[in-house]
Amino acid sequence: MASQNFYLDNEDLRFQVEKRVDWRSILEARGDLGHPGCAYDSLEEAVETFRDLLTDPVGTLAAERIAPRAAEIDKEGCRLEQGRVVLPKAMEQNLRDLAEADLMGMTLPPGYGGLGFPTTLYTAATEIVSRADVSLMNLFGLQGIAETIAKFGDEELKKRYVPLFARGEATGAMVLTEPDAGSDLMAIQTRALEDPSVPGGWKIRGVKRFITNGCGDILLVLARSEDPERFSGARGLSLFLVEKGAGVKVRRVEEKMGIHGSPTCELYFDDAPAFLIGRRGRGLTQYVNWLMNAARLGVAAQCLGIGEAAYREALSYAREREQFGSRIIEFPPVAEMLVEIKTTLEAMRSLVYRTAEAVDLDEALGARLDLMDRKDPQYAQVKKKRDMAAQTAELLTPMAKFYTSEASIRITNLALQVHGGNGYMRDYPVERLYRDARITNIYEGTSQMQVDRAMAKITKGVLEDVLETHSSRVYESPGLRSLSQELGEAKKIFMDCLDALRSQRGLESKTPEQWSGLRSLFARRLTEMGAELLMGYLLLEEGELWERKVSVASHFIGEAVSRVHMHAHVIQRGAAVPIRQAREILFEAS
Amino acid sequence: MRVVVWVREIPDTRDLIGEILGQDSMPKWDDWDTRIDPEDLNSLEMALQWKDRDPRLEVTAVSVGEPKKLDVLRECLYRGVDQVVRLSGEGQPQDLLWEARLLAGAVRRLDAQVVFTGVQLNETECGHKGVFLAHALGWPVATYVEALEQGELGGPMKLRRAVEQGVELVEATPPLVISVGVALLKDDPRAPRSARAKLKLQHKKTQIPQWQIQELGSFLEQRSGGGTRILAFRSQPQRDFPARRVDGSSQAELKAMVDELRNQGLVR
């Protein structure tokens, strides 16, 4: 029988939300706990409230309404009719259902009609919604757009627009990419021109491409507002709010491989009136950076949803399908695929919720610091905590986005394989999930971009600090102790590789350019090693809270440690100059 | 105008596994989860949709007895009713007739004009929840209603009933009991709304008013109940259908199968 509730039927997610997440630290930092008149009388009451909301409306809506519509949405897709984007009918129903349940402003301030919940809870809701319909996440999971206005916009903009989002009466879009500025946002050409005669005082001119929900009502547009001669690159970019209207034309809706329910548009701005958000020249470095990080965590949650859906499809198929007189789940090669999916999924989930916790702490402590007097005796202590949370969030956000997106593609691939030929047919949902997953390591910054960002933090030693807080733990149980030891040895190998690259010793020494080439070449391997070591430690900690996690940890660590060895071997071999070698391999005739 | 919705908490019989009856042949109610009767959710939805169209309407949800595992009245608050009342039914025989009379007392006390109920399909009640209540109130009842075509406050109401040959439209003037039909399809406009997050936060600690039997007028002077008693439940043993595999590529085996079925008179 189909599940009635996508929260209650998910033991691992419930474990994270009800037992694992450090709600106390988050809520105390936010001022929601521990003083008279705050939101919750006790930690138990807060957790019960969260569990209650994830059960109904989130889990109920996802299972009973959203999931049954997913196939139809995928089939119908979005289309452009006389310049207007038409969403699948069932997608409109989904948005209405979410709005009626008050779920479109989960993290927005209550003063503007939002629910004011922590990001960690919103992440869980995003995961549940994504499991029901991957493409719906791109509309539900982009509440960061409204949050950006609430965080950086002036009072007038906040009053006017944030409540519309919270009520679900408006949807938004992040309008960044251009035909010649994809990963390289500093190359943006769209112009913003000052014009006191238009509402907002600015007008936008240019073309944007691959804009998710570009047909939305409220667009946040990154555009060049400063003279390129004086302020080149990122310093010349500002963020603007543009309302859908005559100056904004949808020229095209892309035909995509997956996420058919989410319209991807090409937009032409023909002197569209615009309001400046925050300060000039901070568009990319501050506001879009914040928004992208929020969206990256959203994509990581989307990957959990995809993984969960694919796992369940594969498991139920393997339990029912008979070949050679047995159910195929009894065959070791099939069971191995299922175990691989499930352990990866649980490791991913742990990483994502730790990331969300760090984001919540960073935000809450940052807000508290803003209100504190620098002479306050507690100021230094709060600042220290905040700085650590910020560093952790800046490392884990790209790391989680990179790891979970790559893993969701692996998972859907394995889940399809469990189905054999049936998995390749449109009749089975796993075919859709496989297509939907493929975008996750591309949008909101490709895996290569995420690795680049994570690597900057790893090189600075942030990962060492994070690993240290987990690896120094002493375990009572001999099983966990020996796993921890195994991880410790792998961690040492990882650190040796990292040190060799940092100190530029131990590998064949080369020119500075060659060193930087090597660093960028090995960054993916180092980020993956670091992420898997961290997930290994996280699963060990969970083994103390939930018996079955010991088996999960044991399997995951066994696989992860062998991969650490493999990567280390490649790094220590120190490939020759990669680019020269690439030329020799790629261009046969030269 | 005030309308009442009569809601109940029922055992959740979906996905029951293991032994569901105890030693005494009675269901192990304590081990079962409960839920709000899905048919009551439909009748609640109909009342709330009416209120959406005409905000002057005031919707009150009423339920009998203490919650076992789920407070159905709180569930009604989460969906937007104006007020709720719990009727204390302790120490009384609790068959449907008795419960309907208790409800009738509350409806009179609330001075409501219309009552919505779900069909209620458990075995001892035969979908007569609304009928019993109408009898206790001395009001007309419309059963198997699937839509409220029109309802001007105080004026005649047009109701669409699902009957065996299709649908029929009936007109009725309050006071009136409306028993809402079954068959909840996903695209049915009555598909019940889910809880609203904001109302959940607002009402998670709301005090729920309780009315005692003594406060419900002449109810006690009547016979205490219909006299229905449940003596025992019996599980139906699973019927065993022995299955045999036939090799579809073997003509001989297929022929043997057809012959055997013919001999048993199952195919001609």
Side-chain angles (χ1 to χ4, degrees), chain A residues 328-357:
Chain A
I328 63 171
I329 196 169
E330 308 293 342
F331 298 117
V334 175
E336 184 192 34
M337 289 193 278
L338 291 166
V339 167
E340 177 64 25
I341 292 172
K342 183 67 168 144
T343 48
T344 306
L345 184 58
E346 293 193 21
M348 281 158 68
R349 189 169 276 126
S350 195
L351 178 64
V352 171
Y353 288 98
R354 301 301 76 73
T355 308
E357 283 171 344

Side-chain angles (χ1 to χ4, degrees), chain A residues 117-189:
Chain A
F117 283 132
T119 295
T120 306
L121 185 73
Y122 174 48
T123 302
T126 305
E127 173 185 346
I128 294 169
V129 167
S130 304
R131 175 182 153 194
D133 184 329
V134 182
S135 63
L136 179 57
M137 174 272 169
N138 294 350
L139 299 165
F140 173 77
L142 284 183
Q143 297 181 18
I145 290 164
E147 226 180 321
T148 305
I149 301 170
K151 205 171 155 64
F152 304 112
D154 60 34
E155 194 53 38
E156 197 184 328
L157 288 182
K158 283 196 250 191
K159 272 203 189 111
R160 197 154 132 194
Y161 294 108
V162 179
L164 290 178
F165 280 103
R167 289 198 298 268
E169 288 169 18
T171 63
M174 310 164 49
V175 188
L176 315 176
T177 305
E178 294 178 9
D180 294 320
S183 293
D184 181 10
L185 287 174
M186 285 195 263
I188 277 178
Q189 296 303 317

Side-chain angles (χ1 to χ4, degrees), chain B:
Chain B
M1 185 169 92
R2 191 171 274 171
V3 305
V4 163
V5 184
W6 177 7
V7 289
R8 276 175 164 184
E9 180 184 20
I10 60 162
D12 189 347
T13 50
R14 296 170 298 183
D15 293 342
L16 282 177
I17 44 173
E19 283 297 317
I20 57 172
L21 295 185
Q23 292 295 323
D24 55 356
S25 294
M26 293 299 272
K28 298 195 240 177
W29 301 120
D30 292 348
D31 297 353
W32 296 14
D33 276 336
T34 63
R35 60 170 166 165
I36 184 168
D37 187 331
E39 301 301 342
D40 291 345
L41 274 179
N42 296 343
S43 70
L44 175 71
E45 180 66 25
M46 196 177 279
L48 289 173
Q49 283 188 13
W50 191 12
K51 182 183 162 68
D52 289 343
R53 290 195 302 270
D54 192 338
R56 289 173 302 167
L57 205 70
E58 196 183 273
V59 180
T60 307
V62 181
S63 176
V64 178
E66 284 300 312
K68 293 184 180 68
K69 292 193 173 170
L70 176 88
D71 191 341
V72 292
L73 291 177
R74 219 171 278 283
E75 291 297 317
C76 292
L77 286 170
Y78 296 160
R79 285 162 177 80
V81 300
D82 298 291
Q83 60 165 350
V84 293
V85 177
R86 193 185 319 287
L87 307 182
S88 158
E90 279 175 56
Q92 293 291 327
Q94 300 205 3
D95 66 358
L96 179 62
L97 184 63
W98 177 87
E99 201 180 334
R101 286 185 181 152
L102 193 55
L103 243 293
V107 170
R108 289 199 192 94
R109 185 174 166 183
L110 285 161
D111 193 23
Q113 294 297 298
V114 178
V115 183
F116 288 89
T117 82
V119 157
Q120 179 60 246
L121 287 176
N122 82 24
E123 297 201 343
T124 56
E125 299 182 357
C126 316
H128 275 50
K129 193 172 151 199
V131 178
F132 275 55
L133 176 61
H135 174 75
L137 283 163
W139 291 3
V141 59
T143 53
Y144 299 104
V145 173
E146 66 169 28
L148 211 51
E149 295 280 332
Q150 179 193 324
E152 287 304 320
L153 285 194
M157 300 171 72
K158 277 207 175 82
L159 309 165
R160 194 170 74 219
R161 298 183 63 230
V163 291
E164 284 195 352
Q165 296 76 14
V167 295
E168 70 172 11
L169 275 178
V170 295
E171 198 171 271
T173 305
L176 170 71
V177 175
I178 296 175
S179 161
V180 178
V182 205
L184 220 199
L185 302 169
K186 287 282 173 215
D187 55 356
D188 188 323
R190 290 169 310 152
R193 64 196 61 194
S194 59
R196 292 188 55 184
K198 277 185 189 162
L199 291 173
K200 273 199 135 169
L201 295 176
Q202 189 184 323
H203 288 299
K204 62 182 177 181
K205 293 180 183 170
T206 297
Q207 284 291 320
I208 292 188
Q210 292 247 14
W211 290 356
Q212 301 302 321
I213 292 181
Q214 298 73 10
E215 299 173 82
L216 299 175
S218 59
F219 166 75
L220 282 173
E221 295 156 22
Q222 306 183 19
R223 253 181 344 111
S224 58
T228 314
R229 296 282 179 279
I230 296 166
L231 294 174
F233 286 79
R234 278 204 197 94
S235 326
Q236 282 291 352
Q238 283 277 331
R239 283 197 290 171
D240 196 22
F241 294 103
R244 296 212 308 276
R245 277 182 181 279
V246 173
D247 179 3
S249 62
S250 156
Q251 287 291 334
E253 279 201 40
L254 286 172
K255 188 175 175 320
M257 179 183 81
V258 173
D259 287 345
E260 190 178 328
L261 291 172
R262 276 208 182 109
N263 291 337
Q264 292 179 15
L266 292 170
V267 297
R268 275 182 293 178

Side-chain angles (χ1 to χ4, degrees), chain A residues 48 58 73 149-150 186-187 238 385 416 445:
Chain A
E48 192 182 319
V58 183
I73 286 173
I149 301 170
M186 285 195 263
S238 304
K385 268 192 186 169
L416 194 149

Side-chain angles (χ1 to χ4, degrees), chain A residues 48-228:
Chain A
E48 192 182 319
T49 303
F50 297 159
R51 184 186 60 215
D52 214 27
L53 282 166
L54 290 174
T55 302
D56 185 22
V58 183
T60 315
L61 273 183
E64 292 183 0
R65 300 209 193 176
I66 297 167
R69 296 168 182 161
E72 180 192 336
I73 286 173
D74 177 61
K75 202 165 173 176
E76 192 179 333
C78 306
R79 58 189 194 279
L80 192 61
E81 280 182 3
Q82 292 154 351
R84 211 173 57 86
V85 176
V86 181
L87 294 181
K89 215 165 68 224
M91 182 55 97
E92 299 276 10
Q93 284 175 316
N94 284 341
L95 291 170
R96 231 188 349 263
D97 281 339
L98 290 168
E100 280 175 8
D102 304 326
L103 294 175
M104 291 308 275
M106 285 188 76
T107 52
L108 299 178
Y112 299 94
L115 295 173
F117 283 132
T119 295
T120 306
L121 185 73
Y122 174 48
T123 302
T126 305
E127 173 185 346
I128 294 169
V129 167
S130 304
R131 175 182 153 194
D133 184 329
V134 182
S135 63
L136 179 57
M137 174 272 169
N138 294 350
L139 299 165
F140 173 77
L142 284 183
Q143 297 181 18
I145 290 164
E147 226 180 321
T148 305
I149 301 170
K151 205 171 155 64
F152 304 112
D154 60 34
E155 194 53 38
E156 197 184 328
L157 288 182
K158 283 196 250 191
K159 272 203 189 111
R160 197 154 132 194
Y161 294 108
V162 179
L164 290 178
F165 280 103
R167 289 198 298 268
E169 288 169 18
T171 63
M174 310 164 49
V175 188
L176 315 176
T177 305
E178 294 178 9
D180 294 320
S183 293
D184 181 10
L185 287 174
M186 285 195 263
I188 277 178
Q189 296 303 317
T190 292
R191 289 305 304 267
L193 306 160
E194 266 187 295
D195 181 349
S197 71
V198 299
W202 290 82
K203 53 191 189 190
I204 304 280
R205 191 179 296 172
V207 175
K208 294 282 184 179
R209 192 176 66 154
F210 296 164
I211 306 303
T212 297
N213 200 38
C215 52
D217 310 275
I218 316 288
L219 311 174
L220 295 190
V221 186
L222 189 61
R224 191 159 293 289
S225 56
E226 311 306 313
D227 177 1

